[in-house]
Amino acid sequence: MIVYIVGGGPPEFIPDLKTDKANPDIFWIGVDRGNRYLLDKGITPAVAIGDFDSVTKEELEVYQSSLPNVLKYQTEKDETDMELALQVASQQNPSLIRIFGATGGRLDHMLANLFLLMKPIAAIKNASIEIIDRQNILEVKRPGQYLLEQLPDKQYISFIPFTQTVENLSLVGFKYPLKDRNIFIGSTLCISNELIQRHGTYSFSKGILLVVRSND
């Protein structure tokens, strides 16, 4: 199962998802204003979730009358709408979670969405989790060895510690290789690297790593 979560970030940051709408393996979740984006693209979310404080009363009535499953929460709650969406995503036993509409706009929302990724990565052992916008693909990775393929539209690759320490990080096939190096939160050592061949590998033994693929 693949889960696509579409949040309410600025639509100009969200890739065009129309090519994915016919994929029967995708479970779509709309978060608050993200449901408007999905419906505009002809995509019906399996679950619409949120407090819906960023949509009009008329829009909410449309969601409740036309969508298969609307989960409405009070505005005063401990969890953010995106956190609630990730809880629903985790119940689908996914192999991959892709989050859209989580960047741009309010910086506090973007940071909250980023740090939320620590929760499902602990709870969903076999799922890859990505935040995607038009310029970036961000993945959260557990210890292991991984293969990366060159992406023509995402030339730059950065490796950022998401825990206090990431141990024994090695990069093979990169412009700036690395061998069994410990890197610490706040380090800029592995920012803006590039693959020098079609494929490369990275590996590490302890910690959580953010892998960011970007273009200018």
Side-chain angles (χ1 to χ4, degrees), residues 88-132:
V88 172
S90 69
Q91 297 166 6
Q92 311 309 314
N93 192 28
S95 59
L96 173 64
I97 298 173
R98 285 180 168 158
I99 302 171
F100 306 88
T103 59
R106 286 179 55 174
L107 184 59
D108 57 339
H109 285 178
M110 185 177 72
L111 290 172
N113 291 333
L114 179 62
F115 284 104
L116 272 178
L117 299 187
M118 290 295 288
K119 292 189 176 184
I121 201 170
I124 311 171
K125 298 301 183 182
N126 298 316
S128 296
I129 306 170
E130 303 172 350
I131 290 179
I132 300 174

Side-chain angles (χ1 to χ4, degrees), residues 100-172:
F100 306 88
T103 59
R106 286 179 55 174
L107 184 59
D108 57 339
H109 285 178
M110 185 177 72
L111 290 172
N113 291 333
L114 179 62
F115 284 104
L116 272 178
L117 299 187
M118 290 295 288
K119 292 189 176 184
I121 201 170
I124 311 171
K125 298 301 183 182
N126 298 316
S128 296
I129 306 170
E130 303 172 350
I131 290 179
I132 300 174
D133 62 26
R134 289 188 179 272
Q135 193 170 357
N136 308 280
I137 301 172
L138 183 152
E139 296 183 78
V140 181
K141 290 296 186 182
R142 306 174 186 85
Q145 179 170 310
Y146 301 93
L147 179 70
L148 273 184
E149 184 176 356
Q150 278 185 334
L151 297 178
D153 64 336
K154 300 290 186 295
Q155 176 183 356
Y156 302 108
I157 307 170
S158 296
F159 300 90
I160 303 170
F162 205 35
T163 47
Q164 187 63 40
T165 308
V166 169
E167 296 185 5
N168 301 309
L169 178 63
S170 294
L171 308 176
V172 178

Side-chain angles (χ1 to χ4, degrees), residues 23-75:
N23 187 339
D25 296 325
I26 296 177
F27 185 91
W28 296 88
I29 300 175
V31 181
D32 208 288
R33 191 170 51 195
N35 290 284
R36 181 193 308 168
Y37 175 87
L38 287 173
L39 292 174
D40 287 346
K41 297 296 180 181
I43 300 168
T44 301
V47 177
I49 193 167
D51 54 29
F52 299 100
D53 62 349
S54 59
V55 303
T56 67
K57 179 182 178 181
E58 291 73 21
E59 285 176 316
L60 179 57
E61 289 174 351
V62 169
Y63 300 161
Q64 291 176 322
S65 64
S66 63
L67 298 181
N69 189 7
V70 177
L71 303 178
K72 185 180 185 304
Y73 292 82
Q74 295 296 321
T75 304

Side-chain angles (χ1 to χ4, degrees), residues 155-197:
Q155 176 183 356
Y156 302 108
I157 307 170
S158 296
F159 300 90
I160 303 170
F162 205 35
T163 47
Q164 187 63 40
T165 308
V166 169
E167 296 185 5
N168 301 309
L169 178 63
S170 294
L171 308 176
V172 178
F174 288 81
K175 183 176 181 179
Y176 306 109
L178 212 59
K179 178 65 174 177
D180 293 333
R181 184 75 173 265
N182 292 347
I183 57 174
F184 302 91
I185 195 164
S187 170
T188 59
L189 175 66
C190 298
I191 299 296
S192 199
N193 211 329
E194 300 177 48
L195 286 168
I196 56 174
Q197 52 197 37

